[in-house]
Amino acid sequence: SSTATGAFSTTTGASSTATGASSTSTGASSTATGASSTSTGASSTATGASSTATGASSTATGASSTSTGASSTATGASSTATGASSTATGASSTSTGASSTA
């Protein structure tokens, strides 16, 4: 259940949390919060200006968010959500999937 807080934080674990300007969090229930956050995991959440969340139930919230997963949700000005039940909400959103909503 790792927690890393810093400008260039990196945490790898099942329930990891990384908070920082260029954070990277890898784990089953990862949460990455930062300007260029990357969260990879089954229930990942990435919140930041250029966030990327990759996982089965990923959520990416930020100005240029990218969320890739089966039930992905990307909310931001240039969001991209790719997955079976993707939802992309934003000014230039792109949602690709079987039941996508953009």
Coordinates of all heavy atoms in Angstrom, one line a residue:
S1 N 0.8 -1.2 0.0 CA 0.0 0.0 0.0 C 0.9 1.2 0.0 O 0.8 2.1 0.9 CB -1.0 0.0 1.2 OG -1.8 -1.1 1.2
S2 N 1.7 1.3 -1.0 CA 2.7 2.4 -1.0 C 2.1 3.8 -1.3 O 1.1 3.9 -1.9 CB 3.7 2.1 -2.2 OG 4.4 0.9 -1.9
T3 N 2.8 4.8 -0.7 CA 2.4 6.2 -0.9 C 3.7 7.0 -1.2 O 4.6 7.0 -0.4 CB 1.7 6.8 0.3 OG1 0.5 6.0 0.6 CG2 1.3 8.2 0.1
A4 N 3.8 7.6 -2.4 CA 4.9 8.4 -2.8 C 4.5 9.9 -3.0 O 3.5 10.1 -3.8 CB 5.6 7.9 -4.0
T5 N 5.0 10.8 -2.4 CA 4.7 12.2 -2.5 C 5.9 13.0 -2.9 O 6.9 13.0 -2.1 CB 4.1 12.8 -1.2 OG1 3.0 11.9 -0.8 CG2 3.6 14.2 -1.4
G6 N 5.9 13.6 -4.1 CA 7.1 14.4 -4.5 C 6.9 14.8 -5.9 O 6.0 14.4 -6.7
A7 N 7.8 15.6 -6.4 CA 7.7 16.2 -7.8 C 7.9 15.1 -8.8 O 7.3 15.2 -9.9 CB 8.8 17.3 -7.9
F8 N 8.7 14.1 -8.6 CA 8.9 13.0 -9.6 C 8.7 11.7 -8.9 O 9.5 10.8 -9.0 CB 10.3 13.1 -10.1 CG 10.6 14.4 -10.9 CD1 11.3 15.5 -10.3 CD2 10.2 14.5 -12.2 CE1 11.5 16.6 -11.1 CE2 10.4 15.7 -12.9 CZ 11.0 16.7 -12.4
S9 N 7.6 11.5 -8.2 CA 7.3 10.3 -7.4 C 7.0 9.1 -8.3 O 6.4 9.3 -9.4 CB 6.2 10.6 -6.5 OG 6.5 11.6 -5.6
T10 N 7.4 8.0 -7.9 CA 7.1 6.7 -8.5 C 6.8 5.7 -7.5 O 7.6 5.4 -6.6 CB 8.3 6.2 -9.4 OG1 8.6 7.2 -10.4 CG2 7.9 4.9 -10.1
T11 N 5.6 5.1 -7.5 CA 5.2 4.0 -6.6 C 4.6 2.9 -7.3 O 3.8 3.0 -8.3 CB 4.2 4.6 -5.5 OG1 4.0 3.6 -4.5 CG2 2.9 5.1 -6.1
T12 N 5.0 1.7 -6.9 CA 4.5 0.4 -7.5 C 3.9 -0.5 -6.4 O 4.7 -0.9 -5.5 CB 5.7 -0.3 -8.3 OG1 6.2 0.6 -9.2 CG2 5.1 -1.5 -9.0
G13 N 2.7 -0.8 -6.5 CA 2.0 -1.6 -5.5 C 0.6 -1.8 -5.8 O 0.0 -1.2 -6.7
A14 N -0.1 -2.7 -5.0 CA -1.4 -3.1 -5.3 C -2.4 -1.9 -5.0 O -3.4 -1.8 -5.7 CB -1.8 -4.3 -4.4
S15 N -2.1 -1.1 -4.1 CA -3.0 0.0 -3.7 C -2.2 1.3 -3.6 O -2.3 2.1 -2.7 CB -3.7 -0.2 -2.4 OG -4.5 -1.4 -2.5
S16 N -1.3 1.5 -4.6 CA -0.4 2.6 -4.6 C -1.1 4.0 -4.8 O -2.1 4.1 -5.4 CB 0.6 2.4 -5.8 OG 1.4 1.3 -5.6
T17 N -0.4 5.0 -4.2 CA -0.9 6.4 -4.4 C 0.4 7.3 -4.6 O 1.3 7.2 -3.8 CB -1.6 6.9 -3.1 OG1 -2.7 6.1 -2.9 CG2 -2.0 8.4 -3.3
A18 N 0.4 8.0 -5.7 CA 1.5 8.8 -6.1 C 1.0 10.3 -6.3 O 0.1 10.5 -7.1 CB 2.3 8.4 -7.3
T19 N 1.6 11.2 -5.5 CA 1.2 12.6 -5.6 C 2.4 13.4 -5.9 O 3.3 13.5 -5.1 CB 0.5 13.0 -4.3 OG1 -0.6 12.2 -4.0 CG2 0.0 14.5 -4.4
G20 N 2.4 14.1 -7.1 CA 3.5 14.9 -7.5 C 3.4 15.5 -8.9 O 2.4 15.1 -9.6
A21 N 4.3 16.3 -9.3 CA 4.2 17.0 -10.6 C 4.3 16.0 -11.8 O 3.6 16.2 -12.8 CB 5.2 18.1 -10.7
S22 N 5.1 15.0 -11.6 CA 5.3 14.0 -12.7 C 5.2 12.6 -12.1 O 6.0 11.7 -12.3 CB 6.6 14.2 -13.4 OG 6.8 15.5 -13.9
S23 N 4.1 12.3 -11.3 CA 3.9 11.1 -10.6 C 3.6 9.9 -11.5 O 3.0 10.1 -12.6 CB 2.8 11.3 -9.6 OG 3.1 12.2 -8.7
T24 N 4.0 8.7 -11.1 CA 3.7 7.5 -11.8 C 3.3 6.5 -10.7 O 4.1 6.2 -9.8 CB 4.9 7.0 -12.6 OG1 5.4 7.9 -13.5 CG2 4.6 5.7 -13.3
S25 N 2.1 5.9 -10.9 CA 1.6 5.0 -9.9 C 1.1 3.7 -10.7 O 0.3 3.8 -11.6 CB 0.4 5.6 -9.2 OG -0.1 4.7 -8.2
T26 N 1.7 2.6 -10.3 CA 1.4 1.3 -10.9 C 0.9 0.3 -9.9 O 1.6 0.0 -9.0 CB 2.6 0.8 -11.6 OG1 3.2 1.7 -12.5 CG2 2.3 -0.5 -12.4
G27 N -0.4 -0.1 -10.0 CA -0.9 -1.0 -9.1 C -2.4 -1.3 -9.4 O -3.0 -0.7 -10.2
A28 N -3.0 -2.3 -8.7 CA -4.3 -2.7 -9.0 C -5.4 -1.6 -8.7 O -6.4 -1.5 -9.4 CB -4.7 -4.0 -8.1
S29 N -5.2 -0.8 -7.7 CA -6.1 0.3 -7.3 C -5.3 1.6 -7.2 O -5.4 2.3 -6.3 CB -6.8 0.0 -6.0 OG -7.6 -1.2 -6.2
S30 N -4.5 1.9 -8.2 CA -3.5 3.0 -8.1 C -4.2 4.3 -8.3 O -5.3 4.4 -8.9 CB -2.5 2.9 -9.2 OG -1.7 1.7 -9.1
T31 N -3.7 5.4 -7.6 CA -4.1 6.7 -7.8 C -2.9 7.6 -8.0 O -2.0 7.6 -7.1 CB -4.9 7.2 -6.5 OG1 -6.0 6.3 -6.3 CG2 -5.4 8.6 -6.6
A32 N -2.9 8.4 -9.1 CA -1.8 9.3 -9.4 C -2.4 10.7 -9.5 O -3.2 10.9 -10.4 CB -1.0 8.9 -10.6
T33 N -1.9 11.6 -8.7 CA -2.4 13.0 -8.8 C -1.2 13.9 -9.0 O -0.3 14.0 -8.2 CB -3.1 13.3 -7.4 OG1 -4.1 12.4 -7.2 CG2 -3.7 14.7 -7.5
G34 N -1.2 14.6 -10.2 CA -0.1 15.5 -10.5 C -0.3 16.1 -11.9 O -1.2 15.7 -12.6
A35 N 0.6 17.0 -12.2 CA 0.5 17.7 -13.5 C 0.6 16.8 -14.7 O 0.0 16.9 -15.7 CB 1.5 18.9 -13.6
S36 N 1.5 15.8 -14.6 CA 1.8 14.8 -15.7 C 1.7 13.4 -15.1 O 2.5 12.6 -15.4 CB 3.1 15.1 -16.3 OG 3.2 16.4 -16.8
S37 N 0.6 13.1 -14.4 CA 0.5 11.8 -13.7 C 0.2 10.7 -14.7 O -0.4 10.9 -15.7 CB -0.7 11.9 -12.7 OG -0.4 12.9 -11.7
T38 N 0.7 9.5 -14.3 CA 0.4 8.3 -15.1 C 0.0 7.2 -14.1 O 0.8 6.9 -13.2 CB 1.6 7.8 -15.9 OG1 2.0 8.9 -16.8 CG2 1.3 6.6 -16.7
S39 N -1.2 6.6 -14.2 CA -1.7 5.6 -13.3 C -2.0 4.4 -14.1 O -2.8 4.4 -15.0 CB -2.9 6.1 -12.5 OG -3.3 5.1 -11.6
T40 N -1.4 3.3 -13.8 CA -1.7 2.0 -14.5 C -2.2 1.0 -13.5 O -1.4 0.6 -12.6 CB -0.4 1.5 -15.2 OG1 0.1 2.6 -16.1 CG2 -0.7 0.3 -16.1
G41 N -3.4 0.5 -13.7 CA -3.9 -0.6 -12.8 C -5.4 -0.9 -13.1 O -6.0 -0.2 -13.9
A42 N -5.9 -1.9 -12.4 CA -7.3 -2.3 -12.8 C -8.3 -1.3 -12.5 O -9.3 -1.2 -13.1 CB -7.5 -3.6 -12.0
S43 N -8.1 -0.5 -11.4 CA -9.1 0.5 -11.0 C -8.3 1.9 -10.8 O -8.5 2.6 -9.8 CB -9.8 0.1 -9.7 OG -10.5 -1.1 -9.9
S44 N -7.5 2.2 -11.8 CA -6.6 3.4 -11.7 C -7.4 4.7 -11.8 O -8.4 4.8 -12.4 CB -5.6 3.3 -12.8 OG -4.8 2.2 -12.7
T45 N -6.9 5.7 -11.1 CA -7.4 7.0 -11.2 C -6.2 8.0 -11.4 O -5.3 8.0 -10.5 CB -8.2 7.4 -9.9 OG1 -9.3 6.5 -9.8 CG2 -8.8 8.8 -10.0
A46 N -6.2 8.8 -12.4 CA -5.1 9.7 -12.7 C -5.8 11.1 -12.8 O -6.7 11.3 -13.6 CB -4.4 9.4 -13.9
T47 N -5.4 12.0 -12.0 CA -5.9 13.4 -11.9 C -4.8 14.4 -12.1 O -3.9 14.5 -11.3 CB -6.6 13.7 -10.6 OG1 -7.6 12.7 -10.4 CG2 -7.3 15.0 -10.6
G48 N -4.8 15.1 -13.2 CA -3.7 16.1 -13.5 C -3.9 16.7 -14.9 O -4.7 16.3 -15.7
A49 N -3.0 17.7 -15.2 CA -3.2 18.4 -16.4 C -3.0 17.5 -17.7 O -3.6 17.7 -18.7 CB -2.2 19.6 -16.5
S50 N -2.1 16.5 -17.6 CA -1.8 15.6 -18.7 C -1.8 14.2 -18.2 O -0.9 13.4 -18.5 CB -0.4 16.0 -19.3 OG -0.3 17.3 -19.7
S51 N -2.9 13.9 -17.5 CA -3.0 12.6 -16.8 C -3.2 11.4 -17.9 O -3.8 11.6 -18.9 CB -4.2 12.6 -15.8 OG -3.9 13.5 -14.8
T52 N -2.7 10.3 -17.5 CA -3.0 9.0 -18.3 C -3.3 7.9 -17.4 O -2.5 7.6 -16.5 CB -1.7 8.7 -19.1 OG1 -1.4 9.7 -20.0 CG2 -2.0 7.4 -20.0
A53 N -4.5 7.3 -17.5 CA -4.9 6.2 -16.7 C -5.2 5.0 -17.6 O -6.0 5.1 -18.5 CB -6.2 6.6 -15.9
T54 N -4.6 3.9 -17.3 CA -4.7 2.7 -18.1 C -5.1 1.6 -17.2 O -4.4 1.2 -16.3 CB -3.4 2.4 -18.8 OG1 -3.0 3.5 -19.6 CG2 -3.6 1.2 -19.7
G55 N -6.3 1.0 -17.4 CA -6.8 -0.1 -16.5 C -8.3 -0.4 -16.9 O -8.9 0.3 -17.6
A56 N -8.8 -1.5 -16.2 CA -10.1 -2.0 -16.6 C -11.2 -1.0 -16.2 O -12.2 -0.9 -16.9 CB -10.4 -3.3 -15.8
S57 N -11.0 -0.2 -15.2 CA -12.0 0.8 -14.7 C -11.3 2.1 -14.5 O -11.6 2.8 -13.5 CB -12.8 0.3 -13.5 OG -13.4 -0.9 -13.7
S58 N -10.5 2.5 -15.4 CA -9.7 3.7 -15.3 C -10.5 5.0 -15.3 O -11.5 5.1 -16.0 CB -8.6 3.8 -16.4 OG -7.8 2.7 -16.3
T59 N -10.1 6.0 -14.6 CA -10.6 7.4 -14.6 C -9.5 8.4 -14.8 O -8.6 8.4 -13.9 CB -11.5 7.6 -13.4 OG1 -12.5 6.7 -13.3 CG2 -12.1 9.0 -13.4
A60 N -9.5 9.2 -15.8 CA -8.5 10.2 -16.0 C -9.2 11.6 -16.1 O -10.1 11.8 -16.9 CB -7.7 10.0 -17.3
T61 N -8.8 12.5 -15.2 CA -9.4 13.8 -15.1 C -8.3 14.8 -15.3 O -7.5 14.9 -14.4 CB -10.2 14.0 -13.8 OG1 -11.1 12.9 -13.6 CG2 -10.9 15.3 -13.7
G62 N -8.4 15.6 -16.3 CA -7.4 16.6 -16.5 C -7.5 17.3 -17.9 O -8.3 16.9 -18.7
A63 N -6.7 18.3 -18.2 CA -6.9 19.1 -19.4 C -6.6 18.3 -20.6 O -7.2 18.5 -21.7 CB -5.9 20.3 -19.3
S64 N -5.6 17.3 -20.6 CA -5.3 16.5 -21.7 C -5.3 15.0 -21.3 O -4.4 14.3 -21.6 CB -3.9 16.9 -22.3 OG -3.9 18.2 -22.7
S65 N -6.3 14.6 -20.6 CA -6.4 13.3 -20.0 C -6.6 12.2 -21.1 O -7.2 12.4 -22.2 CB -7.6 13.2 -19.1 OG -7.4 14.1 -18.0
T66 N -6.0 11.0 -20.8 CA -6.2 9.8 -21.7 C -6.5 8.7 -20.8 O -5.7 8.4 -19.9 CB -4.9 9.6 -22.5 OG1 -4.6 10.7 -23.3 CG2 -5.1 8.3 -23.4
S67 N -7.6 8.0 -21.0 CA -8.1 6.9 -20.2 C -8.3 5.7 -21.1 O -9.1 5.8 -22.1 CB -9.3 7.2 -19.4 OG -9.7 6.1 -18.6
T68 N -7.6 4.6 -20.9 CA -7.8 3.4 -21.7 C -8.2 2.2 -20.8 O -7.4 1.8 -19.9 CB -6.4 3.1 -22.5 OG1 -6.0 4.3 -23.2 CG2 -6.6 1.9 -23.4
G69 N -9.3 1.7 -21.0 CA -9.8 0.5 -20.2 C -11.2 0.1 -20.6 O -11.9 0.8 -21.4
A70 N -11.7 -1.0 -20.0 CA -13.0 -1.5 -20.4 C -14.1 -0.6 -20.0 O -15.1 -0.5 -20.7 CB -13.2 -2.9 -19.7
S71 N -14.0 0.1 -18.9 CA -15.0 1.1 -18.4 C -14.4 2.4 -18.1 O -14.6 3.0 -17.1 CB -15.7 0.5 -17.2 OG -16.3 -0.7 -17.4
S72 N -13.6 2.9 -19.1 CA -12.8 4.1 -18.9 C -13.7 5.4 -18.8 O -14.7 5.4 -19.5 CB -11.7 4.2 -20.0 OG -10.8 3.2 -19.9
T73 N -13.2 6.4 -18.1 CA -13.9 7.7 -18.1 C -12.8 8.7 -18.1 O -11.9 8.8 -17.3 CB -14.7 7.9 -16.8 OG1 -15.7 6.8 -16.7 CG2 -15.4 9.2 -16.8
A74 N -12.8 9.6 -19.2 CA -11.9 10.7 -19.3 C -12.6 12.0 -19.3 O -13.5 12.2 -20.2 CB -11.0 10.5 -20.6
T75 N -12.3 12.9 -18.4 CA -13.0 14.2 -18.3 C -11.9 15.3 -18.4 O -11.0 15.4 -17.5 CB -13.7 14.3 -17.0 OG1 -14.6 13.2 -16.9 CG2 -14.5 15.6 -16.9
G76 N -12.0 16.1 -19.5 CA -11.0 17.2 -19.6 C -11.2 17.9 -20.9 O -12.0 17.5 -21.8
A77 N -10.4 18.9 -21.1 CA -10.5 19.7 -22.3 C -10.2 19.0 -23.6 O -10.8 19.2 -24.6 CB -9.7 21.0 -22.2
S78 N -9.2 18.1 -23.5 CA -8.8 17.3 -24.7 C -8.8 15.8 -24.4 O -7.8 15.1 -24.7 CB -7.4 17.7 -25.2 OG -7.5 19.1 -25.6
S79 N -9.8 15.3 -23.7 CA -9.9 14.0 -23.2 C -10.0 12.9 -24.3 O -10.5 13.2 -25.3 CB -11.0 13.8 -22.2 OG -10.9 14.7 -21.1
T80 N -9.4 11.8 -24.0 CA -9.5 10.6 -24.9 C -9.8 9.4 -24.1 O -9.0 9.0 -23.2 CB -8.2 10.4 -25.8 OG1 -7.9 11.6 -26.5 CG2 -8.4 9.2 -26.7
A81 N -10.9 8.7 -24.3 CA -11.3 7.5 -23.6 C -11.5 6.4 -24.6 O -12.2 6.5 -25.5 CB -12.6 7.7 -22.8
T82 N -10.7 5.3 -24.4 CA -10.8 4.2 -25.3 C -11.1 2.9 -24.5 O -10.3 2.5 -23.6 CB -9.4 4.0 -26.0 OG1 -9.1 5.2 -26.7 CG2 -9.5 2.9 -27.1
G83 N -12.3 2.3 -24.7 CA -12.7 1.1 -24.0 C -14.1 0.7 -24.3 O -14.8 1.4 -25.1
A84 N -14.5 -0.4 -23.8 CA -15.8 -1.0 -24.2 C -17.0 -0.1 -23.8 O -18.0 -0.1 -24.4 CB -15.9 -2.4 -23.5
S85 N -16.8 0.5 -22.6 CA -17.9 1.4 -22.1 C -17.3 2.8 -21.8 O -17.6 3.4 -20.7 CB -18.6 0.8 -20.9 OG -19.1 -0.5 -21.2
S86 N -16.5 3.3 -22.7 CA -15.8 4.6 -22.4 C -16.8 5.8 -22.4 O -17.8 5.8 -23.1 CB -14.8 4.8 -23.5 OG -13.8 3.8 -23.5
T87 N -16.4 6.8 -21.6 CA -17.1 8.0 -21.5 C -16.0 9.1 -21.5 O -15.2 9.2 -20.7 CB -17.9 8.1 -20.2 OG1 -18.9 7.1 -20.2 CG2 -18.7 9.5 -20.1
A88 N -16.1 10.0 -22.5 CA -15.2 11.2 -22.6 C -16.0 12.4 -22.6 O -16.9 12.6 -23.4 CB -14.3 11.1 -23.9
T89 N -15.7 13.3 -21.6 CA -16.4 14.6 -21.5 C -15.4 15.7 -21.5 O -14.6 15.8 -20.6 CB -17.2 14.6 -20.2 OG1 -18.1 13.5 -20.1 CG2 -18.1 15.9 -20.1
G90 N -15.5 16.6 -22.5 CA -14.6 17.7 -22.6 C -14.7 18.4 -23.9 O -15.5 18.0 -24.8
A91 N -14.0 19.5 -24.1 CA -14.1 20.3 -25.3 C -13.8 19.6 -26.6 O -14.4 19.9 -27.6 CB -13.3 21.6 -25.1
S92 N -12.7 18.8 -26.5 CA -12.3 18.1 -27.7 C -12.2 16.6 -27.4 O -11.2 15.9 -27.8 CB -10.9 18.6 -28.2 OG -11.0 20.0 -28.5
S93 N -13.2 16.0 -26.8 CA -13.2 14.7 -26.3 C -13.2 13.7 -27.5 O -13.9 13.9 -28.5 CB -14.4 14.4 -25.4 OG -14.2 15.2 -24.3
T94 N -12.6 12.5 -27.3 CA -12.7 11.4 -28.3 C -12.9 10.2 -27.5 O -12.1 9.8 -26.6 CB -11.4 11.3 -29.1 OG1 -11.1 12.5 -29.8 CG2 -11.4 10.2 -30.1
S95 N -14.0 9.5 -27.8 CA -14.3 8.2 -27.1 C -14.5 7.1 -28.1 O -15.2 7.2 -29.0 CB -15.6 8.4 -26.3 OG -16.0 7.3 -25.6
T96 N -13.7 6.0 -27.9 CA -13.7 4.9 -28.8 C -14.0 3.6 -28.1 O -13.2 3.3 -27.2 CB -12.4 4.8 -29.6 OG1 -12.0 6.0 -30.2 CG2 -12.4 3.7 -30.6
G97 N -15.2 3.0 -28.4 CA -15.5 1.8 -27.7 C -16.9 1.3 -28.0 O -17.6 2.0 -28.8
A98 N -17.3 0.2 -27.6 CA -18.6 -0.5 -28.0 C -19.8 0.4 -27.5 O -20.8 0.5 -28.2 CB -18.7 -1.9 -27.4
S99 N -19.7 1.0 -26.3 CA -20.8 1.8 -25.8 C -20.3 3.1 -25.4 O -20.6 3.7 -24.3 CB -21.4 1.0 -24.6 OG -21.9 -0.2 -24.9
S100 N -19.5 3.7 -26.2 CA -18.8 5.0 -25.9 C -19.8 6.2 -25.9 O -20.8 6.2 -26.6 CB -17.8 5.3 -27.0 OG -16.8 4.3 -27.0
T101 N -19.5 7.1 -25.0 CA -20.2 8.4 -24.9 C -19.2 9.5 -24.9 O -18.3 9.6 -24.1 CB -21.1 8.4 -23.7 OG1 -22.0 7.4 -23.7 CG2 -21.8 9.8 -23.6
A102 N -19.3 10.4 -25.9 CA -18.4 11.6 -26.0 C -19.2 12.9 -26.0 O -20.2 13.0 -26.8 CB -17.5 11.5 -27.3

